[in-house]
Amino acid sequence: FAVLGMTRLHSISYMVDDIPAESQIKKDLKFFETNFSGVMPLEITVDIKTKRRRPLLDVANIRAIDYFESSLDSIPVTSRPVSIVSFIKAAKQAFYNNNPARYDLPTRQESAFILRYMKGQSDNSGLFRSFVDSSFNKMRISMQMADIGSTRMDSLVNNVIQPKADTLVAELRRNLKSEKDSVSVVVTGSTKLFIKGNKFLINNLTESLILAFVLITLSMAFLFANAGMIIISLIPNLIALMITAGLMGYLDIPLKASTALIFSITFGISLDNSIRFLAKYRQELLSKSFFVPVAVSESIMETGKSITYTSVALFAGFIIFAFSDFGGTIALGILTSTT
């Protein structure tokens, strides 16, 4: 039963998945996702290293970047990209008396007198300079993404956006026509950090669980010096962890930072009872001339009550967390109490 449930276990995190659904923060986020494609920043930097002056104002490069932005704009869960290309289109529209039909890239003839407004830009608010450096070699494309979960985000960034960025790199290199020139297009921003941070936490917590298992096994080996005793003590505790993981699979509770932490905590707590019982059992075995039935009975009578009391106290202590409004705390309380 537990193994079947474990096969349904999956790992996914949302930026605000532990916040109650009826909270104002969650409602505001849903509003922005519906009307503005989300609020999670996704940034893309384009860096052209060349001896040519102002390569980002070259018409061919601008058109390549505009095509790249158009492909990003077609992604449903992302907002429209904003960059220096947007400023250039707006400059052309302003030049033609703010005609909306003129919101487009300038032709080669128009670029001669429209792009010079970009070269002499002196924006006191600093907005223009936040999208391009003074030498026009490095620029930033800014967009927002909906909170679609770490799995879909990872797939979207690495399998959709990154290949488009690689295509832009190849196009810009063709425009430069020099082996000494270099181009880099890097996907960054809070969304990318969230994806990497979530992966790091899950992997780190998995490693810590394995490390705890190894260290506890070594401690048991040092304490009892008997391989059979180590196996006997570990199996019941592993079954408890498997049942918890199985319930997570059946109840569709994902493996994330707040739930992966449970296994390390409960594994240590449950093994504490095992060590307490087995240490007493070894003591009784020596005093009862290795007569196993009496040694087991005496060990249960001596340690069984204290183990029961502490287990009930721990269950009552952790189940209190189940009445919280925060999702991570609820999962910690229910799953730790279950284990």
Side-chain angles (χ1 to χ4, degrees), residues 91-107:
K92 178 178 176 178
Q93 180 182 347
F95 185 85
Y96 287 101
N97 297 319
N98 206 28
N99 183 359
R102 295 287 187 168
Y103 184 79
D104 195 6
L105 292 178
T107 62

Side-chain angles (χ1 to χ4, degrees), residues 300-326:
I300 290 174
M301 292 300 294
E302 181 72 24
T303 62
K305 291 180 181 179
S306 62
I307 287 173
T308 302
Y309 293 151
T310 55
S311 297
V312 170
L314 284 168
F315 174 84
F318 278 107
I319 201 66
I320 292 294
F321 294 147
F323 298 98
S324 171
D325 290 328
F326 190 69

Side-chain angles (χ1 to χ4, degrees), residues 42-46 68 71-72 75 78 143 145 152-171 173 183-189 192 195-196 199:
L42 183 65
E43 308 287 335
I44 301 169
T45 59
V46 180
F68 171 66
S71 66
L72 295 178
I75 301 173
T78 59
M143 53 199 296
M145 178 183 286
R152 287 182 62 194
M153 282 182 192
D154 190 20
S155 177
L156 182 64
V157 170
N158 294 312
N159 299 332
V160 178
I161 296 178
Q162 190 60 53
K164 293 178 185 292
D166 296 337
T167 303
L168 175 62
V169 170
E171 182 66 25
R173 280 177 178 167
V183 179
S184 65
V185 179
V186 180
V187 182
T188 181
K192 188 74 177 287
I195 295 169
K196 295 193 72 173
K199 282 184 177 179

Side-chain angles (χ1 to χ4, degrees), residues 15 51-52 85 93 98 106 108 121 125 147 149 155 166 169 183 191 204 209 211 241 245 251 264 289 291 305 315 325:
M15 185 69 80
K51 292 183 178 180
R52 295 169 59 183
V85 176
Q93 180 182 347
N98 206 28
R108 289 196 175 272
Q121 236 290 333
S125 69
D147 189 12
S155 177
D166 296 337
V169 170
V183 179
T191 301
N204 197 258
L209 179 60
L211 182 61
L241 294 178
L251 299 175
S264 297
S289 302
F291 187 56
K305 291 180 181 179
F315 174 84
D325 290 328

